[in-house]
Amino acid sequence: MGFSLIQPLIIGLPRSRTAWLSVFMSQSGTYFYHEGINGCKSLPEYKEKIAGCGDSSTGLLSLGVDVVSKSKVVVIIKNKKEIEDCISWCDKSYNVDSRSFILDLQNKLLNVDGLIIKQSEINDRLKDIWCYLTDAQWDDKYKRLAELNIQAKSTAIDKEAAILLYESIQQNT
């Protein structure tokens, strides 16, 4: 099922610097949520929530949403080591075997139409990301943000909302 958005998006696997990128891109004058879908019970609710903003997310693809953006999408992909680190982190954090799930999501990411950025190259591609997602003027001082370690304080999700959201997606496919 394709879900169309006008807002700019950054999507990637867990631990792909999406929290950091949401803060970085919010400096452009457009607020970027991190996991804006968290707490939403339907895709229309999510769409309303992020109206006029952007979102930097690991959750959209994991819910089975095919993102079709009328705007711009930056896709963060991982190399083999980063994927293994992601799998290990997910296994420990969620007490599940996430290997096939994470590998499937990486393949889905590779098929999203957008600007593909390797996670290991984010710092070197900040201007590309900025200029692709926004019309705001770039300033080299923004590169200094790369030195900041910004991570989500919690990986908890609103489980009740997530179940309702997943069910509504399944009913519409």
Side-chain angles (χ1 to χ4, degrees):
M1 172 182 73
F3 178 65
S4 183
L5 289 171
I6 296 172
Q7 288 73 23
L9 297 173
I10 301 167
I11 56 176
L13 294 173
R15 312 302 299 163
S16 293
R17 297 184 66 195
T18 54
W20 186 91
L21 285 162
S22 71
V23 173
F24 172 74
M25 287 307 302
S26 289
Q27 305 309 302
S28 72
T30 298
Y31 178 75
F32 271 71
Y33 283 92
H34 179 248
E35 304 296 355
I37 202 160
N38 192 15
C40 295
K41 297 176 180 140
S42 68
L43 289 176
E45 183 180 343
Y46 168 65
K47 194 172 186 176
E48 182 179 327
K49 178 180 180 179
I50 68 166
C53 301
D55 192 17
S56 187
S57 174
T58 61
L60 286 174
L61 289 180
S62 64
L63 290 168
V65 176
D66 292 325
V67 177
V68 179
S69 181
K70 294 178 183 173
S71 185
K72 304 289 183 169
V73 180
V74 169
V75 181
I76 306 300
I77 60 168
K78 293 178 174 285
N79 63 33
K80 288 180 182 183
K81 182 189 180 319
E82 293 162 343
I83 289 173
E84 291 303 322
D85 291 346
C86 176
I87 291 167
S88 176
W89 182 85
C90 289
D91 288 355
K92 290 175 189 170
S93 296
Y94 301 110
N95 198 27
V96 297
D97 180 2
S98 64
R99 176 170 294 284
S100 61
F101 180 73
I102 294 298
L103 293 175
D104 181 54
L105 287 180
Q106 174 83 343
N107 286 331
K108 286 180 182 178
L109 286 170
L110 293 170
N111 291 310
V112 173
D113 185 25
L115 176 64
I116 306 291
I117 302 287
K118 294 178 182 176
Q119 180 180 335
S120 59
E121 296 177 0
I122 289 174
N123 289 355
D124 296 330
R125 305 279 312 271
L126 292 176
K127 184 176 181 180
D128 296 335
I129 295 167
W130 181 279
C131 292
Y132 185 78
L133 290 176
T134 182
D135 293 328
Q137 184 68 35
W138 170 259
D139 189 311
D140 280 343
K141 68 183 175 187
Y142 301 138
K143 291 179 188 177
R144 288 184 275 177
L145 292 171
E147 299 170 13
L148 300 178
N149 182 4
I150 299 170
Q151 298 184 37
K153 184 176 182 180
S154 170
T155 58
I157 62 168
D158 179 337
K159 290 180 183 176
E160 179 185 330
I163 290 168
L164 292 171
L165 175 63
Y166 182 77
E167 289 171 353
S168 75
I169 291 169
Q170 296 308 304
Q171 289 173 0
N172 291 316
T173 55

